Each structure stands twice: as structure tokens, then as C-alpha cells.
Amino acid sequence: MTAVLLHPAVRSDAEFLFSMASDVEVVRWVGDGNPWSREYFDHRFALALNATGSHEPDVQKWFIGTTEEPARVGLLSTIRRSDHLEVGYWVHPDHWGRGYAGKLLVHAHEHASGLPLAAQVYRENRASCRVLERARFALVDDGDPLTYRRNPVP
């Protein structure tokens, strides 16, 4: 299977990211499930590009997952919370079913600074639940959304 490389999002990634943010199938399990408008995307992307102080609470960073070719395959989002790193991930539909979401989560550990990782997923999003479980996240809250957590590797 192809390795996934990770780099911080840059302005030239905007159209790739917007193609996912505006795709109803990609965002159906994100927020209210509606595709992002260009205005909303541009605002969120600007915040992620301008994020500094990644050790400060509530700072969001976006990373682009690529193959070695390099072809963009997805997004890894990290948000520093007071006691954990919240992670999120999107994989472009052209690359679904190839294990890229799990590979993005492997990279999340590199940015966790020894903190536990946490992710929320809607109960009906069984594919994402399986990704988290394969990545050794444990279910810690069975509300909706579900909350998964993975402690740092000692």
C-alpha cells in the first residue's frame, strides 16, 4: 500500500480542500452535514493557515496527506485542547477504501506532543468508527456523536 506523507496546508491546497468541503458525501458527517460555502471555507482555511502556537489551546492546524507521487489524498485536522489533541480527517472520494484515513491518524501521533488523541464521530458513520477502532482508539462516550480517545504511546 502507498505511504502517506504529510505537510502543513498551504494556499495552493485551497482548491483541493474546497473540493472536499463542498462535497455532500465528504461532509455529510461533519458539523451540520451541509457542504461548506466558499465564504465559510475561505474563513476556516485562513484561520488554519494563520495558526501559530500549536501548543496553545484551541489552535487548529490543517495538514495535507499526499502519496509519494505526490497526489493529494486527504486532510488531517488537529485542534489543541487543554488536555488532548482533537483530530479530524477527510479523504477525497477518489481515494476512499484505500486505508488513507488510518494513515492520516498515524501522523496525528507525531503532532500530539505526548497528549492523548480524541475524535468524535456520528454513530451512523460506521466506516469512520472502524477507522478509529483499527487505529486503537477506544470508545469513551457513547452519546451522539461518539467520542473516541487514544492515549499516547509510552
Side-chain angles (χ1 to χ4, degrees), residues 102 105-106 109 117 129-139 148-154:
L105 287 173
V106 168
H109 292 283
L117 300 175
C129 292
R130 286 190 301 273
V131 166
L132 291 165
E133 290 162 3
R134 279 194 300 268
R136 300 184 310 183
F137 280 69
L139 180 63
Y148 285 83
R149 199 164 171 110
R150 180 171 177 188
N151 289 324
V153 177

Side-chain angles (χ1 to χ4, degrees), residues 17-31:
L17 291 168
F18 184 66
S19 75
M20 290 189 295
S22 60
D23 185 317
V24 68
E25 289 302 314
V26 174
V27 298
R28 72 186 286 200
W29 304 113
V30 177

